[in-house]
Amino acid sequence: HVQLVESGGGSVQAGGSLRLTCVYSLPTWKPYCLGWFRQAPEKEREGIAAIYSDGITTYSDSVKGRFTISKYSAKRTLFLQLNNLQPEDTGMYYCAADSSPDRCSTGLPSALVSDYWGQGTQVTVS
């Protein structure tokens, strides 16, 4: 069955690091591009990082240079390394799986719309 299970969130001080993990189970009959979304308090969920079938990664301006997305496809695991965390990074983090070739081909994390959602993992930076 389909599932996305995020983990690795926590509370850190500014400048700290965390590594988020998403173990996913997705239908195998169509390709997906994978990504991470973030939802800050009282704000809409936004795409911040994406990784495509060819391994290319893209980031929103707000996290570029600080966050790194990667995947271990054999283990169906997606990662997000968060470095130099700042208070504005506080929020719930969700992994995403988008099956739309059109949206995936934009190369923009903000263009992704996830077919499924997990429960998310909370990151709090003080």
Side-chain angles (χ1 to χ4, degrees):
H1 64 285
V2 174
Q3 65 175 4
L4 301 168
V5 181
E6 303 94 339
S7 62
S11 296
V12 298
Q13 293 187 337
S17 298
L18 288 170
R19 190 190 196 203
L20 307 184
T21 298
C22 172
V23 178
Y24 58 88
S25 176
L26 299 168
T28 57
W29 58 83
K30 51 184 176 180
Y32 292 85
C33 61
L34 303 175
W36 286 93
F37 278 62
R38 174 172 70 193
Q39 187 164 19
E42 301 182 1
K43 292 190 177 180
E44 293 189 358
R45 201 171 295 187
E46 61 171 344
I48 58 173
I51 186 166
Y52 304 94
S53 57
D54 55 5
I56 290 176
T57 59
T58 59
Y59 302 90
S60 66
D61 288 343
S62 62
V63 307
K64 193 178 300 181
R66 300 186 298 123
F67 293 6
T68 303
I69 187 172
S70 61
K71 64 180 178 177
Y72 186 9
S73 297
K75 294 289 188 182
R76 293 179 294 178
T77 305
L78 184 70
F79 303 99
L80 187 67
Q81 179 68 40
L82 290 66
N83 293 332
N84 191 22
L85 282 160
Q86 301 300 315
E88 54 266 33
D89 296 316
T90 293
M92 190 71 79
Y93 285 69
Y94 301 87
C95 64
D98 193 334
S99 62
S100 167
D102 290 341
R103 289 193 297 266
C104 290
S105 66
T106 66
L108 298 172
S110 60
L112 299 186
V113 177
S114 190
D115 291 19
Y116 311 101
W117 294 108
Q119 83 289 347
T121 187
Q122 176 69 35
V123 172
T124 302
V125 186
S126 59

